[in-house]
Amino acid sequence: MKGDYIKINRSLLEWGWYKDKNTSRLFIHMLLKANWKDGFFLGIEIKRGSFVSSLAKLSEETNLSVREIRTAIKHLESTGEVTSKKYNKFSVFTVNNYCSYQSSDTQSDKQPTSNRQASDKQVTTIEEGKKGRKKEYIDTNVSIKQHSIQSIIDAWNQLEPYGIKMIYRINPGSKRYTSLIALLEQFGEEKVIQAVDKVKQSDFLQGKTDARFSLNFDWFINPNNFVKVLEGKYDERHDKKPATKNNNNFERRHYDMDDLESKLLGR
């Protein structure tokens, strides 16, 4: 019967979120939950590929915490796999491109009349599969970049306790997106996250030494500023000797006050 099963393409193995167990688990769960045909809920039309739920319900169904569900949804929304719309007591989640994922392949009900026909059909299927995998690989590059961007967003948001303003998403095509992609291509994800971590050890970058300076993400990904942060220009210097005041650089003298008094009075 229709709706009793879903299709999962092997390209999922190359998907950027596949190794993130919480995100991939939630996405597969959403594929299973999504309506296979249009319907209604409390007078609201729920389209094919969408379903009604809540964070608490998804947490109960997947055995993930509400916090883990919220983070996984942010991941899926950032890369365009899922969108959501909140209502008063529930949310409608939509698996984007659901119809593409679950489209039916046309198969012939006729059996081949000879081994040659069967062989020709197998060759054609294999060749088509190769073409399909090539296209999927190209599309995967986008997902890999999005995964790196999300990793950097997560690292940056760990700076909030240090007084740094959080960011929630970086829209593809924006100036911020283009600048970050350029840094990723030049330095790689690991170096960018390494530079983010340097903020935790820098009083200047945290705005403690100069109240006029306030660190934000756009300043950080500016190529000139990023290189300085990565190279340690703003690192704290622990090898400096503490400054001393000149009027304290003498040895305190000890006086016999009774003897001094006698001398002053000529006794």
Side-chain angles (χ1 to χ4, degrees):
M1 295 177 62
K2 290 184 177 180
D4 287 347
Y5 66 90
I6 62 170
K7 295 180 180 180
I8 299 180
N9 196 292
R10 284 193 177 88
S11 63
L12 189 69
L13 294 171
E14 303 295 333
W15 180 43
W17 295 118
Y18 182 75
K19 293 183 180 180
D20 188 308
K21 61 181 181 180
N22 293 344
T23 304
S24 59
R25 181 175 185 176
L26 179 62
F27 182 62
I28 293 173
H29 181 71
M30 287 180 161
L31 284 173
L32 291 166
K33 292 282 292 184
N35 291 358
W36 65 274
K37 64 177 181 178
D38 296 348
F40 287 87
F41 179 79
L42 299 179
I44 300 173
E45 184 178 17
I46 309 299
K47 290 283 191 179
R48 170 177 162 88
S50 300
F51 66 98
V52 174
S53 192
S54 65
L55 296 182
K57 184 66 174 176
L58 291 172
S59 173
E60 178 185 347
E61 293 170 343
T62 61
N63 201 30
L64 298 173
S65 69
V66 171
R67 182 178 181 181
E68 289 172 331
I69 291 291
R70 186 180 289 110
T71 299
I73 289 173
K74 285 183 180 179
H75 289 170
L76 294 171
E77 288 182 333
S78 71
T79 50
E81 279 85 7
V82 169
T83 55
S84 62
K85 184 175 182 180
K86 293 183 179 179
Y87 290 86
N88 188 24
K89 295 183 179 180
F90 60 89
S91 295
V92 175
F93 298 95
T94 300
V95 178
N96 299 327
N97 300 320
Y98 176 86
C99 293
S100 297
Y101 299 148
Q102 303 304 311
S103 61
S104 298
D105 296 328
T106 304
Q107 296 180 353
S108 174
D109 293 331
K110 297 180 180 179
Q111 296 295 324
T113 57
S114 68
N115 293 334
R116 176 61 182 274
Q117 288 176 336
S119 177
D120 290 344
K121 187 174 182 62
Q122 289 171 359
V123 172
T124 301
T125 303
I126 292 171
E127 291 303 318
E128 289 175 350
K130 290 180 179 178
K131 293 178 181 178
R133 285 195 295 273
K134 184 177 181 180
K135 182 177 186 300
E136 288 159 4
Y137 176 78
I138 295 172
D139 293 340
T140 298
N141 289 337
V142 177
S143 295
I144 291 173
K145 288 181 180 179
Q146 290 287 1
H147 186 269
S148 294
I149 289 174
Q150 187 59 48
S151 297
I152 292 166
I153 291 175
D154 292 342
W156 180 266
N157 289 343
Q158 291 178 16
L159 299 177
E160 185 186 20
Y162 299 87
I164 309 301
K165 187 177 179 180
M166 298 176 65
I167 57 175
Y168 296 97
R169 66 173 58 190
I170 299 176
N171 295 322
S174 65
K175 182 178 179 181
R176 178 180 287 182
Y177 178 90
T178 303
S179 298
L180 183 53
I181 288 296
L183 287 181
L184 283 170
E185 291 177 347
Q186 183 176 358
F187 297 96
E189 177 184 331
E190 184 178 349
K191 287 292 185 182
V192 176
I193 292 179
Q194 180 182 331
V196 172
D197 287 339
K198 282 181 172 288
V199 177
K200 299 176 182 178
Q201 286 81 41
S202 174
D203 286 345
F204 173 78
L205 294 176
Q206 295 173 34
K208 294 180 180 179
T209 59
D210 188 345
R212 297 170 298 177
F213 176 77
S214 179
L215 176 64
N216 60 55
F217 191 75
D218 293 316
W219 183 94
F220 175 80
I221 61 176
N222 177 283
N224 293 331
N225 298 334
F226 176 82
V227 170
K228 292 177 182 178
V229 174
L230 183 62
E231 292 180 348
K233 179 177 176 60
Y234 302 107
D235 290 356
E236 298 305 307
R237 302 291 185 231
H238 300 290
D239 55 346
K240 291 182 178 180
K241 296 181 180 180
T244 57
K245 295 182 180 180
N246 292 333
N247 59 353
N248 288 334
N249 292 336
F250 61 87
E251 184 179 354
R252 184 180 296 276
R253 296 180 181 180
H254 301 280
Y255 296 96
D256 184 336
M257 299 306 296
D258 291 334
D259 179 62
L260 181 61
E261 183 181 6
S262 296
K263 290 179 180 180
L264 290 174
L265 297 176
R267 294 176 182 175

